[in-house]
Amino acid sequence: FRCFGDLDAPDWILAEIAYLSKISSVRMKLIASQVIASMKGQPLDYAKILKLTGDAGFDVSQVKAAVAVLEYILTNAAKYDCDANVLEMELQQLGLPKEHTTALSRPYKENQESLRLYLAQQTLKLPGLTKVDWRSEAILGSSLGKDVRSVSGHLLLETGGRKVAFEISQDKLAALHGELLAAKSLMDSVKNGI
């Protein structure tokens, strides 16, 4: 499912879909709007949601489960930049009635960009490198008469006012370079959604 990052829906989501079906589609839209507002930093009004789910006969734990399901679905849909039409279709495949999927996807579509921006602001970010200095040394020989050819690198990295300096051998430098290229490739594939 695209809304779950091209993975299967978790089992607990499948189990809770039946509970969501008991709520009317109009109330589903109102609850989804409340959940989206809470995802963007506003406090969640459980009393209002309890009133909205009153006709379904939910107890407090079922209301919290319904809110958790909606929050999980909407967070992942925004995280994976899932189109509202795709979200609607995939939720129908999970067993949610069409009226409910339409009621859920409409507030998602209206808030998709602002939700993505808010979630991006909440993501852990580390400061970037501000300065990189390096030098290499090659030892071609020694007064001891041994053949001691070696190359080493010295790196000085500065990030956010913190300096880290280290020396690295030729073998370790080659391994570090390979690992950094692999990490960059992985980050690029995640960034591009591959």
Side-chain angles (χ1 to χ4, degrees), residues 33-50:
S33 296
Q34 285 286 314
V35 170
I36 288 171
S38 79
M39 291 168 58
K40 294 184 344 185
Q42 297 177 9
L44 186 62
D45 187 359
Y46 270 108
K48 186 173 184 179
I49 293 175
L50 275 169

Side-chain angles (χ1 to χ4, degrees), residues 130-194:
T130 54
K131 183 178 179 182
V132 176
D133 283 331
W134 64 275
R135 74 174 195 274
S136 62
E137 293 179 355
I139 300 174
L140 302 174
S142 169
S143 63
L144 299 175
K146 296 180 182 176
D147 190 22
V148 200
R149 295 177 183 239
S150 70
V151 177
S152 65
H154 298 270
L155 289 172
L156 173 65
L157 307 175
E158 189 172 325
T159 175
R162 184 171 169 228
K163 293 181 181 183
V164 177
F166 59 94
E167 181 179 346
I168 190 165
S169 69
Q170 182 177 0
D171 295 337
K172 288 184 180 179
L173 184 60
L176 175 64
H177 183 255
E179 289 175 9
L180 289 173
L181 288 176
K184 183 181 183 315
S185 174
L186 181 63
M187 290 186 334
D188 287 343
S189 69
V190 169
K191 180 180 176 184
N192 295 330
I194 294 175

